Amino acid sequence: MNVVRRALATAMILMLGGSSVFACPMCFGAEETSMIDGAKLGIIVMLGITFAVQGGFLAFFLYLRRRAKRIAELELDSEWSELQRASRTS
């Protein structure tokens, strides 16, 4: 029970403590250093990779959709041709 109270108190302090609680000691109040530039570049690279993977999934599903439409149209055309031939022979 004591552990739960301690955890809740810690969570409340973190939520109400402000942004300085979440800052790492290297970056908080620091000027623009190469470490901060590296962290920003790392975030940009990770976002780029994430968007590239999501774009790949989107492109794949759009390809599947176009392919399904094309196959459906070919099947409809072949069925229509068979109906046309059947009506001519009757």
Side-chain angles (χ1 to χ4, degrees), residues 10-24 28:
T10 304
M12 291 300 292
I13 289 170
L14 287 176
M15 289 190 333
L16 298 175
S19 63
S20 65
V21 175
F22 296 112
C24 72
F28 182 66

Side-chain angles (χ1 to χ4, degrees), residues 41-80:
L41 182 62
I43 291 170
I44 291 171
V45 167
M46 286 190 290
L47 283 172
I49 290 171
T50 302
F51 289 140
V53 169
Q54 288 180 346
F57 276 115
L58 177 66
F60 176 67
F61 286 118
L62 290 175
Y63 163 75
L64 289 178
R65 182 176 150 195
R66 277 192 304 249
R67 183 174 175 220
K69 282 183 179 180
R70 187 174 60 236
I71 290 172
E73 287 176 3
L74 289 175
E75 288 176 356
L76 184 63
D77 287 344
S78 66
E79 185 177 342
W80 180 251

